[in-house]
Amino acid sequence: SEREAYEDHLQQVYQIEGRPNHTGVQDFGFGIWKPDTNNTYEDGRAPDITGENTWGGEDPRLTVLSLHNVPDSSSLLYNLYSEEDRGIHVDSMNACANENTDPNVSPSCAVFTDMLELKIRPGPAGLLFQPVFPANDPSKFVGFATTSLHWEEALTNIVPDYVNGLTCVISTATATFTYELRRGGAVELIGPGDLHDPRYNQYSKSVILNDIETGSSTSAVYVLTVYPSQAMFATFSTNSPLAVALAFTGVIFLCTLLFFLYDFLMRHEAEQRKLILDMKRRFVRFISHEIRTPLNTVCVGLELLERELRKDTSKAKEQEDNIAGFSPTNDDVDFWHNVTVDVRENAMIAVSILNDMLNYDKLETKSLEIETEEVNVWGLIDQTVHQFQLQAINREVDMKLTFEKPKTLLGSSAGTADSSDRSSNHQVDENADFDPECSQLCVVGDDVR
């Protein structure tokens, strides 16, 4: 028969190609097989001699899987038409080829089977049947090439290794299976049906896997829909940005707080210094008034005393007999006169120093006005030297001022006469050494203009 002749032909082909001796051999021997529904053979395969089927195929037919990319594949010589999940697609391709109206053009009759299980590997899979038409007869359907798609294998290593928990739902119009991609590229079959976590529906993405043009009516359309899961969110979720943001916010807040504190302290320090300076000014102002008032009183009193001494001296000279019974000599009168003058002049110096303290306060407040006035320089020198006469007398030193008074005794100075007086006083005080062993001290003044 044709079946036996075909089996012999295939056996010869396997031998010529050097395939293993058990290629195409079942428990019943070498030959075309179909699933054993009666459990007659241990391997569950029975010989298929007539091509009859139980699922309602159009005609008894032997559609034999003759070649396989695995040389000794256990699915060789399997009659695909013996089971409905493959047989209906064979009929569909045959009908598509018969409907072709152009005998010179091969029709597009490829077909994707629905979900099924391969004979050599368990798990959901699909088959692509591509019809074969002879070159000399483009419209005659004589066979087909088969490509298998095992979905677990197809999903392996399709995402980076660090992805964990990506849910993949592969579905057709009649069947659905759910897979989950694990870290490292592993794929796990969760089970039949759509078993993704509905909490992540909003993140779903879908794509059609087999968008082809075909005239076969039974071709299935496969749709892949991916969803994230809690495990996947845990992989990509981290609190590091929040922690870093809070840390930077804390640092910025701390720096801002430190800047405000520094500004507050500097303002406080400035206010304190301002208060201290104001207190100094007030102290200088008030204490100068408090000291200057009694000194002025002393000066006025000494001036009155000096005036009275002069008056009494004048009267004593005019009258031989003093009314008060006091007959001072000229030396005594001159001595006490000089003492009162020295005391008054030193008191005036103290008053002028207090005035300078007030001027320093005016300098800080930028309210001091400098005036230019004429100063009797030679008289100022004479007055300055005269102030040291009392110290010279106490040290028994004869202090004399020697200079030739010019006709013009006026100079000019920026400031006050009191300040010029203190300047000359300072020069004499720095250079005069009242040594008891020295009996005479001369101060010489020269005009250096």
Side-chain angles (χ1 to χ4, degrees):
S1 64
E2 292 183 2
R3 176 188 62 81
E4 292 175 348
Y6 187 68
E7 290 176 346
D8 292 339
H9 170 72
L10 289 178
Q11 191 172 20
Q12 292 178 5
V13 170
Y14 296 159
Q15 291 175 358
I16 294 173
E17 292 181 350
R19 298 185 181 229
N21 294 330
H22 62 271
T23 303
V25 178
Q26 323 303 328
D27 286 352
F28 63 83
F30 184 88
I32 300 173
W33 63 275
K34 63 179 179 181
D36 184 8
T37 57
N38 299 321
N39 297 323
T40 304
Y41 299 94
E42 185 176 351
D43 60 359
R45 300 178 177 185
D48 195 346
I49 299 174
T50 61
E52 295 180 354
N53 59 79
T54 59
W55 55 270
E58 294 180 356
D59 299 310
R61 182 175 299 167
L62 291 174
T63 306
V64 183
L65 180 59
S66 304
L67 299 176
H68 199 283
N69 60 329
V70 178
D72 59 344
S73 174
S74 61
S75 60
L76 285 172
L77 302 184
Y78 167 58
N79 180 16
L80 282 76
Y81 196 74
S82 62
E83 293 184 281
E84 183 178 10
D85 55 3
R86 294 166 175 82
I88 59 172
H89 302 295
V90 174
D91 287 341
S92 177
M93 289 187 291
N94 190 41
C96 175
N98 292 333
E99 292 174 0
N100 181 32
T101 58
D102 188 351
N104 298 319
V105 178
S106 299
S108 298
C109 297
V111 61
F112 262 102
T113 68
D114 209 329
M115 290 285 187
L116 50 76
E117 187 171 297
L118 301 179
K119 298 302 179 180
I120 60 173
R121 184 175 181 181
L127 294 174
L128 172 61
F129 293 163
Q130 180 64 47
V132 176
F133 299 93
N136 57 358
D137 191 357
S139 62
K140 184 178 181 181
F141 176 42
V142 296
F144 56 90
T146 304
T147 302
S148 63
L149 291 173
H150 192 277
W151 295 116
E152 183 175 338
E153 180 180 346
L155 295 174
T156 301
N157 295 322
I158 64 171
V159 294
D161 292 345
Y162 57 81
V163 176
N164 183 44
L166 180 64
T167 302
C168 298
V169 178
I170 299 178
S171 60
T172 64
T174 60
T176 301
F177 288 89
T178 302
Y179 295 85
E180 187 164 315
L181 306 186
R182 305 294 187 185
R183 182 180 285 106
V187 180
E188 179 183 356
L189 175 61
I190 303 301
D194 188 348
L195 304 178
H196 78 276
D197 192 337
R199 293 179 298 176
Y200 303 104
N201 285 342
Q202 57 181 328
Y203 303 108
S204 65
K205 298 293 182 181
S206 299
V207 62
I208 297 176
L209 298 178
N210 58 331
D211 188 9
I212 61 174
E213 293 183 3
T214 179
S216 300
S217 60
T218 61
S219 182
V221 176
Y222 284 86
V223 178
L224 171 65
T225 305
V226 295
Y227 302 89
S229 64
Q230 186 175 0
M232 184 175 180
F233 267 88
T235 301
F236 292 95
S237 298
T238 177
N239 293 326
S240 297
L242 178 61
V244 172
L246 290 177
F248 273 105
T249 303
V251 171
I252 295 173
F253 178 77
L254 180 61
C255 291
T256 304
L257 184 62
L258 290 177
F259 287 147
F260 274 110
L261 180 61
Y262 175 78
D263 182 70
F264 171 77
L265 293 177
M266 293 301 295
R267 288 177 181 270
H268 180 72
E269 180 70 16
E271 290 294 332
Q272 292 296 318
R273 292 185 179 183
K274 185 177 179 181
L275 290 175
I276 292 174
L277 181 60
D278 186 65
M279 185 182 299
K280 288 181 180 179
R281 291 174 183 169
R282 291 176 181 271
F283 174 78
V284 171
R285 189 177 303 162
F286 295 152
I287 200 66
S288 63
H289 284 292
E290 294 297 328
I291 295 176
R292 189 169 55 177
T293 300
L295 285 177
N296 284 330
T297 303
V298 171
C299 292
V300 172
L302 290 174
E303 187 177 357
L304 290 175
L305 178 59
E306 181 184 355
R307 190 181 302 168
E308 291 298 324
L309 285 174
R310 289 179 180 176
K311 186 185 295 184
D312 290 343
T313 302
S314 298
K315 288 181 180 180
K317 289 181 179 180
E318 293 174 0
Q319 300 177 3
E320 294 179 356
D321 194 10
N322 193 313
I323 300 176
F326 174 67
S327 298
T329 63
N330 290 332
D331 293 338
D332 292 337
V333 171
D334 290 340
F335 174 75
W336 288 109
H337 175 70
N338 291 334
V339 170
T340 57
V341 170
D342 288 341
V343 174
R344 178 172 59 81
E345 288 179 351
N346 282 281
M348 291 298 294
I349 291 174
V351 172
S352 65
I353 291 174
L354 292 174
N355 289 333
D356 283 345
M357 294 176 67
L358 291 176
N359 288 336
Y360 292 147
D361 179 64
K362 291 180 180 179
L363 279 173
E364 292 184 353
T365 58
K366 299 181 180 180
S367 61
L368 177 65
E369 296 182 359
I370 298 179
E371 299 178 355
T372 303
E373 62 181 12
E374 293 184 347
V375 178
N376 190 337
V377 178
W378 300 109
L380 182 61
I381 296 174
D382 190 12
Q383 180 182 355
T384 302
V385 173
H386 182 71
Q387 293 174 1
F388 290 91
Q389 287 291 343
L390 185 58
Q391 299 181 35
I393 293 173
N394 290 335
R395 301 289 182 89
E396 296 179 357
V397 175
D398 185 12
M399 183 175 181
K400 295 181 180 181
L401 174 64
T402 302
F403 64 89
E404 182 181 355
K405 294 183 179 180
K407 294 180 180 180
T408 304
L409 300 177
L410 298 178
S412 62
S413 174
T416 62
D418 289 339
S419 61
S420 301
D421 184 14
R422 287 190 301 281
S423 177
S424 59
N425 191 350
H426 176 72
Q427 293 295 327
V428 174
D429 188 24
E430 287 289 327
N431 295 279
D433 184 10
F434 296 103
D435 189 349
E437 296 180 358
C438 179
S439 60
Q440 188 175 9
L441 176 66
C442 295
V443 179
V444 180
D446 293 327
D447 188 357
V448 295
R449 292 179 295 172

